Amino acid sequence: MSTSTNAQKLPEAFTDFKPSIKVASPGRINLIGEHTDYNNGFVMPTAIDKKIYFEFKENGTDSTCRIYSATYNAHLEFDHNNLSISEKSWENYVLGVTNEIKVLGKSLKGFDCIIKSDLSTGAGISSSAALECGFASGLNALFDLGLSKVEITQLSQKAEHNFVGNKCGIMDQYASVMSKQDHIILLDCESLHAEYIPADFKSCKLLLLNTNVSHNLADSEYNTRRQECEAAVEVIQKKYPEVKSLRDVNLEMLEEFKAQLEGKQYQRARYVIEENERVINATTAIKAGKLNEFGELMYGSHDGLQHNYEVSCPELDFLVEFSRDKDYIYGSRMMGGGFGGCTINLIEADKIDEYVVEAAEAYFKKFNIKLDTIAVSPSEGTIVEKL
Ligand code: GLA
């Protein structure tokens, strides 16, 4: 059971708040490798310099937990021995994390927590994972739970599955917690082996353009895509029992099953197999400083997401299209789950201002919606400070 209220001002429990733990928990970008994580494939994310900030302290009770979110200007109080799913979406991230910690048999006491954020929600930069992982990291430090960083990512992912209802992969949580300053991660989502690659884009920068739309298809279609991929694997497994996920399937093998796969299963699987290949090729291109090649792979990723995986939307497609004839933009693609949020662009740094004005004008003319930019730079994962 939990109670929640909209707080007009800081509730009394939070005035004169002396935290013993502080956490800074970042959002993430993903350079390439979309919808591959839950198919045990490859992704290339990193944390960004936009974060959710937490302050924690014990409150002397056995089990009363009080949280104040400055972002939602809301107060939540619950008993960690009596947890249930809330109707308010943001609450389920913290309730879900608390629940997963209890499932692991860890013991908690009562605590107070203040949450502030400079991460936009709905922009596809994973404020969700930042909230889950930051909260979990704070409780881990406050109560010496002995959870490793990877365990924090995994329990946060479970919280999202079980309390929020989104069957997400591990990418966002992993990037938020495990990233290293000025590096991108080539993450193998099957083994969780991570290779840290220096984020060296020469005279270019990564630029996010926020469509400021978030179509409500996102959650249901996300889970449907996951089911379509799993259904394709089940068909293939009948002949090839060693196949555990689309990670183990190549295009030649997939062709064998074209006639047996139902609905859109073939095209979904094809996209995932091709995208995994693009991530590997992108790694080689980035390491060799071949930004043109990497950019082409970004466009290829977008085409696949738009036409085969069908998780894009007109606003994202417009922005990617708009970038195509600009020789100072090497690549552009939708980023994250899709149906809104941001495009990620690899662009010559000295052209950013000019381009943003041009793109925003065209975008407004077409959709009557303001275009926002989010400046990002590859940053360190979660930072926990004991005071
Ligand atoms: C969301 C999910 C991730 C990942 C991306 C798509 O951000 O949380 O696990 O699947 O979508 O790549």
Side-chain angles (χ1 to χ4, degrees):
M1 275 296 291
S2 60
T3 54
S4 55
T5 45
N6 280 335
Q8 289 317 309
K9 60 184 177 58
L10 206 63
E12 209 168 315
F14 296 99
T15 53
D16 205 18
F17 192 90
K18 290 195 181 58
S20 50
I21 300 291
K22 282 187 175 187
V23 181
S25 179
R28 64 100 188 90
I29 51 173
N30 184 26
L31 277 74
I32 194 161
E34 222 61 87
H35 288 271
T36 43
D37 60 351
Y38 54 83
N39 288 302
N40 281 351
F42 299 98
V43 292
M44 200 189 275
T46 182
I48 55 174
D49 50 345
K50 306 273 180 299
K51 303 179 186 195
I52 301 184
Y53 300 91
F54 300 77
E55 295 183 343
F56 289 87
K57 71 172 179 60
E58 290 194 40
N59 62 17
T61 70
D62 282 342
S63 59
T64 304
C65 310
R66 291 184 292 233
I67 296 169
Y68 172 70
S69 159
T71 314
Y72 293 101
N73 196 17
H75 174 229
L76 164 70
E77 183 164 328
F78 62 92
D79 182 323
H80 66 65
N81 290 319
N82 188 6
L83 295 165
S84 58
I85 293 176
S86 159
E87 282 171 4
K88 293 189 184 159
S89 151
W90 78 268
E91 296 181 354
N92 285 322
Y93 295 98
V94 292
L95 293 167
V97 164
T98 312
N99 180 60
E100 293 306 329
I101 289 177
K102 304 279 291 191
V103 169
L104 289 172
K106 304 285 181 188
S107 66
L108 298 175
K109 286 189 231 143
F111 62 88
D112 295 340
C113 168
I114 295 180
I115 307 176
K116 296 177 188 157
S117 174
D118 61 17
L119 258 186
S120 354
T121 54
I125 48 178
S126 214
S127 55
S128 319
L131 182 54
E132 295 149 8
C133 295
F135 190 68
S137 302
L139 293 184
N140 188 38
L142 187 66
F143 297 116
D144 287 321
L145 302 179
L147 295 163
S148 71
K149 284 181 165 198
V150 171
E151 283 171 321
I152 284 172
T153 66
Q154 288 166 329
L155 79 86
S156 297
Q157 181 195 20
K158 281 195 190 136
E160 192 151 340
H161 287 195
N162 297 333
F163 264 60
V164 183
N166 180 22
K167 305 285 180 201
C168 63
I170 193 72
M171 169 172 76
D172 302 350
Q173 291 77 10
Y174 198 96
S176 181
V177 176
M178 307 295 288
S179 289
K180 291 191 178 149
Q181 181 74 37
D182 298 326
H183 286 74
I184 48 180
I185 309 175
L186 168 63
L187 178 66
D188 177 337
C189 297
E190 187 172 55
S191 64
L192 290 189
H193 176 266
E195 182 183 345
Y196 290 86
I197 302 168
D200 178 7
F201 301 112
K202 299 179 177 173
S203 53
C204 287
K205 277 204 162 146
L206 295 167
L207 169 72
L208 301 190
L209 294 180
N210 187 358
T211 60
N212 278 319
V213 297
S214 176
H215 296 290
N216 55 13
L217 279 173
D219 292 347
S220 62
E221 288 295 311
Y222 186 92
N223 290 344
T224 309
R225 292 297 173 280
R226 187 171 180 146
Q227 283 158 10
E228 286 169 325
C229 293
E230 285 166 2
V233 169
E234 270 175 41
V235 173
I236 298 168
Q237 269 173 342
K238 289 197 184 120
K239 180 162 179 204
Y240 297 106
E242 68 278 15
V243 166
K244 299 283 175 276
S245 67
L246 287 178
R247 160 68 175 275
D248 305 322
V249 182
N250 59 36
L251 286 178
E252 205 185 333
M253 207 189 249
L254 182 68
E255 286 309 308
E256 272 187 60
F257 297 91
K258 193 167 181 182
Q260 291 172 53
L261 293 173
E262 285 172 15
K264 303 218 165 183
Q265 289 165 8
Y266 169 81
Q267 80 184 61
R268 304 298 189 232
R270 193 182 167 93
Y271 160 76
V272 171
I273 295 166
E274 288 174 347
E275 182 76 348
N276 275 330
E277 227 174 271
R278 277 189 287 265
V279 181
I280 300 304
N281 293 337
T283 309
T284 315
I286 291 173
K287 283 183 183 166
K290 294 184 175 162
L291 297 187
N292 269 317
E293 261 175 45
F294 171 51
E296 281 312 309
L297 293 162
M298 291 174 82
Y299 282 120
S301 169
H302 186 81
D303 289 343
L305 289 159
Q306 179 182 356
H307 301 294
N308 281 343
Y309 219 63
E310 296 179 295
V311 291
S312 187
C313 64
E315 294 85 353
L316 289 165
D317 296 339
F318 176 85
L319 290 175
V320 171
E321 226 21 71
F322 194 75
S323 77
R324 285 205 202 242
D325 64 346
K326 316 279 183 294
D327 57 4
Y328 52 83
I329 297 183
Y330 292 82
S332 176
R333 52 181 288 273
M334 57 150 275
M335 189 185 76
F339 302 103
C342 292
T343 61
I344 180 166
N345 304 273
L346 183 66
I347 177 171
E348 289 287 352
D350 61 355
K351 294 286 185 187
I352 290 180
D353 293 347
E354 180 188 320
Y355 181 65
V356 164
V357 171
E358 199 185 329
E361 239 176 64
Y363 186 72
F364 190 80
K365 201 165 157 203
K366 172 87 179 165
F367 297 106
N368 210 18
I369 302 171
K370 188 173 164 285
L371 183 72
D372 279 328
T373 56
I374 305 180
V376 287
S377 63
S379 297
E380 187 73 20
T382 319
I383 296 170
V384 179
E385 201 186 335
K386 286 201 180 194
L387 303 162

